[in-house]
């Protein structure tokens, strides 16, 4: 059972990597919809790719903005990741 789980996650990691190679930057919602997996399951796989320095999370600097998050285009995409290598 563990081998099956590992094989399945390796296959999914390859799919996620391929998406980043194509698009360079993605948010968690996009990846989840494209691969038809839950965002919570996806988070664990993204953490693996972060640890391997394949991707990194983009941190938006909202301190300089005074308009509020309601009108911010980035607020809807708070979980954005980009390709590192």
């Amino acid at each position: 059972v563990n081998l099956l789980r590992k094989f399945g996650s390796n296959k999914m990691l390859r799919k996620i990597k391929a998406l980043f190679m194509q698009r360079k930057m993605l948010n968690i919602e996009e990846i989840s919809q494209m691969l038809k997996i839950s965002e919570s399951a996806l988070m664990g796989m993204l953490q693996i790719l972060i640890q391997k320095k394949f991707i990194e999370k983009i941190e938006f600097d909202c301190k300089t903005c005074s308009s509020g998050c309601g009108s911010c285009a980035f607020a809807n995409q708070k979980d954005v990741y980009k390709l590192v290598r």
Side-chain angles (χ1 to χ4, degrees), residues 3-23 26 31 34-35 37 41-42 44-46 48-50 52 54-55 83 85:
L3 280 175
L4 181 60
R5 189 178 317 152
K6 183 176 180 176
F7 175 75
S9 65
N10 284 340
K11 186 176 179 181
M12 190 60 66
L13 283 171
R14 284 194 300 273
K15 288 182 180 183
I16 295 168
K17 288 170 94 172
L19 286 174
F20 276 101
M21 295 300 285
Q22 291 173 1
R23 303 259 308 264
L26 295 158
I31 303 167
M34 285 184 220
L35 299 179
I37 60 173
L42 182 57
M45 292 181 207
L46 293 177
I48 292 170
L49 294 176
I50 289 170
K52 292 183 176 192
F54 186 80
I55 62 169
L83 182 67
R85 48 178 158 132

Side-chain angles (χ1 to χ4, degrees), residues 46-66:
L46 293 177
Q47 288 303 317
I48 292 170
L49 294 176
I50 289 170
Q51 289 173 356
K52 292 183 176 192
K53 303 206 184 305
F54 186 80
I55 62 169
E56 65 185 12
K57 186 172 181 177
I58 298 174
E59 299 294 337
F60 296 107
D61 186 13
C62 295
K63 296 176 195 107
T64 59
C65 180
S66 62

